[in-house]
Amino acid sequence: MGAVQLTAAVAFVCLLLPDTAAQNLIKNPREQKTEHSLLINEINADNPGLDTWEFLELYHTSGHQAALDGYYLVFYNGNGNQAYKVLNLQGHVTNSQGFFLVGSHTVNPLPSLTLRPNTIQNGPDAIALYYGNGRYFEGIKVTNNGLVDALVHKSKKADKADTLLSVLTPDQDAFLEDPLFRSTDESLERCRGSDLQWFFQVAMPTPGRDNHCIPSSQLNASTVLISEISTVSTSEGLEFIELQGPPSTTLGDLVLVLIEGGAKEVYFFMDVYGKTSPDGVLLIGPAQSKTPVDLQFPQNASSPLFRAGPNAVALYLGNSSSFSLGTAASATNLLDALVYTSNRSTAPELLEILTPGRPIFYEDERHQQGDVSVSRCSCCSVTRDASAYALSSPTPGQFNDCPSKRFSQAISFCLHGAGECHVVLLYIFSNLKIPP
């Protein structure tokens, strides 16, 4: 069967990040018209070993195909502040999602403009995007004439690029593509903060796809969250629970608990331990899972593990000695919880205990067929709130494949309380493609 479109079916509240500790905020250097801006969206200049998987990604904020006539990409060497590579983008267009890739032929998807391996220097260097009739050629001194966007980058904290910064991005620091962030590879990805300013973040490379944009405040926090659950077993996959926490960190003193909604009683619990991946993910599932798990369900666990009707997945501080089968649901030492239902019935008392004032998450028929999972899609460390989740393709052990904000509409409204106005940003997603 073909893809089925899910229209206006998912909405979640995204409490935008209060700070951006990962990298400094940057402003659009030349105050582009935001209705049709072309931006430097992602750069991967430094690969492990030989630089054979480097790329640069542009993004047109229309989210659609756009002509690149009149644009130039100029790569500057921080040693001498001269251009070492110039690309004329005349005749090229972005793809149907607004992306345009430049990079090595080994990059997937294949870039529209391919470069020889080790072309993009690691830094301290800069990449600048220009528009207009200016003369841009290899050896040109750094200039802001016709400048549209720019990124000054480095691979060592001690690197300096004062001239490049003063000309291209005044009052900003060079962005560090930190090779210690991930054991494999990483890139600098453009994200947007709560004040609508841009910042760059080190993350897993995503050429030709939406950037993950998980704030550093969440990546480096001690809090562990419920990231994704799949509550059904099919020929394509098995039940699993995925947690998100600090990257490459040993976890302990955590208990995963499943609670039956009608009786509000514990029917499964297990200690959580192990080391998160470089992306901060810990996958829990059965031993026979096609995707290798980091922590297996106990051998005596029932199969299927998840029960029909309203239920909850909860994560507590402590150890399993504090729990027993049939004990009542409690909020004591509760870190995170998701209350969901596989039918139309609800569990108001369980909601009040675990997630007071928050809604229940409704699964649907596609979820019961096992082709989608329940994935955390909020931009920040929002805990105990079903509004932070959405239906998506299962991605056990990987970043969640959340509905794209490029196909969403942001609606802000004011909630009055104690004489103050608290602004909430609500994303309504439409035309989301989920496999049938």
Side-chain angles (χ1 to χ4, degrees), residues 358-395:
R358 300 303 182 186
I360 194 168
F361 188 93
Y362 287 94
E363 299 175 340
D364 66 4
E365 293 181 358
R366 281 181 296 279
H367 188 273
Q368 297 311 302
Q369 295 167 3
D371 54 7
V372 295
S373 64
V374 180
S375 297
R376 175 180 289 275
C377 292
S378 69
C379 68
C380 309
S381 300
V382 181
T383 62
R384 301 169 62 184
D385 190 350
S387 298
Y389 294 83
L391 294 177
S392 72
S393 300
T395 55

Side-chain angles (χ1 to χ4, degrees), residues 228-242 258 267-268 283-291 293 295-297 301-308 340 363 367-368 370 372-373 394 396:
E228 183 179 359
I229 65 170
S230 178
T231 63
V232 294
S233 294
T234 67
S235 59
E236 298 299 321
L238 299 173
E239 302 166 298
F240 67 83
I241 300 172
E242 179 188 88
L258 302 185
Y267 73 87
F268 172 86
L283 182 62
I284 307 172
Q288 64 272 31
S289 173
K290 292 182 180 179
T291 302
V293 299
L295 181 61
Q296 296 179 7
F297 290 145
S302 61
S303 183
L305 180 62
F306 292 93
R307 297 180 179 180
Y340 67 94
E363 299 175 340
H367 188 273
Q368 297 311 302
V372 295
S373 64

